[in-house]
């Protein structure tokens, strides 16, 4: 069974600083995908970034980058130049492909990030 | 131009009642999902439909019955509501096939059972 571990229940970062949110995963699949989602206090789930298991380059999307270390089974999210609006819960998730179509996402327990002035 | 929408956003009801949550997506995706987020914010998949066909049914009580009238809609009906059903329910959708298959979530429905 797939498993996602986020060991940081809460993190603080100063505005304009960079922050790394940790995520490790466990799977026996050769093909898998890793995702990060942001959940602000308003409650919606916002897709941030995706990394495929076969992608050789780390994914980047604006201020978000994914530090993918396949041998260590880690997929850490790096947020550069933090902004107050980045304060939210961040979830790491892994895709498990299914033969019937579609995917099943297994989520970590999340990291609550607070950006301070 | 909402991509994935859910109604209602809030639902407060008494134990034992039956209620439904509706979900619609206008992204043209083939696959839709229901997730449950508990009070500790843990998210877990409940169901998935691909082109109106059920493909994932996690160990969910059979009081929960999803229905997909077409591939743009996936509704969740809950019978005989219990206190433990209180949670936020998210609908999501994704395109079929492809490596990325990003799931896009609706705004969530906060269900409170009294």
């Amino acid at each position: 069974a797939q498993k996602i571990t986020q060991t940081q229940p809460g993190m603080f970062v100063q505005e304009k600083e960079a922050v790394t949110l940790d995520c490790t995963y466990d799977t026996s699949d050769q093909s898998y995908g890793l995702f990060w989602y942001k959940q602000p206090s308003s409650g919606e789930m916002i897709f941030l970034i995706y990394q495929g298991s076969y992608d050789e380059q780390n994914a980047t999307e604006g201020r978000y980058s994914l530090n993918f270390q396949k041998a260590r089974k880690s997929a850490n999210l790096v947020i550069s130049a933090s902004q107050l609006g980045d304060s939210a819960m961040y979830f790491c998730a892994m895709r498990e492909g299914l033969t019937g179509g579609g995917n099943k996402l297994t989520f970590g327990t999340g990291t609550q990030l607070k950006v301070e002035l | 131009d909402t991509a994935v929408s859910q109604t209602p956003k809030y639902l407060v009801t008494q134990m034992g009642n039956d209620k439904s949550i509706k979900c619609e997506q206008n992204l043209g995706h083939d696959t839709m999902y229901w997730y449950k987020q508990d009070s500790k914010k843990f998210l877990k998949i409940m169901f998935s439909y691909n082109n109106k066909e059920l493909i994932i049914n996690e160990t969910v009580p059979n009081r929960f019955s999803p229905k997909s009238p077409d591939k743009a809609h996936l509704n969740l009906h809950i019978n005989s509501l219990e206190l433990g059903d209180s949670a936020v329910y998210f609908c999501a959708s994704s395109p079929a096939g492809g490596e990325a298959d990003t799931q896009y979530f609706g705004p969530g429905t906060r269900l409170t059972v009294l």
Side-chain angles (χ1 to χ4, degrees):
Chain A
Q2 296 192 334
K3 189 177 176 184
I4 293 280
T5 302
Q6 294 180 253
T7 57
Q8 306 153 312
M11 289 277 287
F12 289 89
V13 65
Q14 296 280 330
E15 198 182 18
K16 300 178 187 173
E17 297 290 312
V19 63
T20 298
L21 307 184
D22 294 341
C23 174
T24 57
Y25 60 92
D26 186 23
T27 182
S28 54
D29 291 348
Q30 295 300 309
S31 174
Y32 51 89
L34 296 152
F35 300 80
W36 278 91
Y37 286 86
K38 173 184 178 181
Q39 187 175 39
S41 57
S42 49
E44 69 270 30
M45 292 287 290
I46 303 166
F47 164 70
L48 294 178
I49 196 166
Y50 164 80
Q51 179 84 42
S53 57
Y54 294 119
D55 295 340
E56 295 186 354
Q57 303 260 15
N58 284 342
T60 60
E61 287 285 350
R63 294 186 299 110
Y64 303 109
S65 60
L66 201 153
N67 184 358
F68 181 48
Q69 298 190 39
K70 196 168 180 177
R72 292 186 176 186
K73 293 191 173 178
S74 75
N76 298 339
L77 177 70
V78 181
I79 306 174
S80 62
S82 296
Q83 302 171 356
L84 294 177
D86 294 334
S87 294
M89 182 75 101
Y90 289 81
F91 291 97
C92 181
M94 180 160 53
R95 167 187 60 79
E96 176 185 355
L98 301 165
T99 53
N103 302 301
K104 170 181 167 179
L105 285 180
T106 300
F107 283 86
T109 49
T111 295
Q112 183 72 49
L113 176 68
K114 186 165 173 56
V115 180
E116 300 174 317
L117 288 168
Chain B
D1 62 343
T2 306
V4 183
S5 59
Q6 293 178 230
T7 53
K9 189 163 171 61
Y10 300 96
L11 189 50
V12 181
T13 187
Q14 298 285 335
M15 257 193 335
N17 283 351
D18 303 339
K19 289 292 178 188
S20 291
I21 306 171
K22 295 186 176 183
C23 178
E24 176 181 1
Q25 55 96 2
N26 63 5
L27 297 166
H29 289 165
D30 291 317
T31 310
M32 297 184 72
Y33 311 81
W34 280 109
Y35 286 85
K36 179 180 179 180
Q37 186 175 42
D38 64 23
S39 58
K40 295 183 178 175
K41 301 267 189 175
F42 185 63
L43 271 150
K44 194 170 188 316
I45 192 164
M46 300 172 69
F47 300 104
S48 175
Y49 271 74
N50 186 28
N51 260 322
K52 303 193 296 176
E53 184 182 337
L54 181 67
I55 54 171
I56 297 175
N57 184 347
E58 292 290 288
T59 49
V60 178
N62 57 15
R63 297 182 296 104
F64 291 79
S65 51
K67 280 194 172 51
S68 182
D70 55 61
K71 74 173 194 178
H73 295 85
L74 179 62
N75 304 324
L76 183 65
H77 187 76
I78 316 169
N79 288 327
S80 303
L81 278 155
E82 300 177 357
L83 294 176
D85 298 332
S86 294
V88 180
Y89 292 85
F90 284 98
C91 176
S93 73
S94 71
E99 278 294 301
D101 259 4
T102 298
Q103 294 186 20
Y104 295 92
F105 284 74
T109 295
R110 182 175 292 277
L111 171 65
T112 303
V113 182
L114 303 174

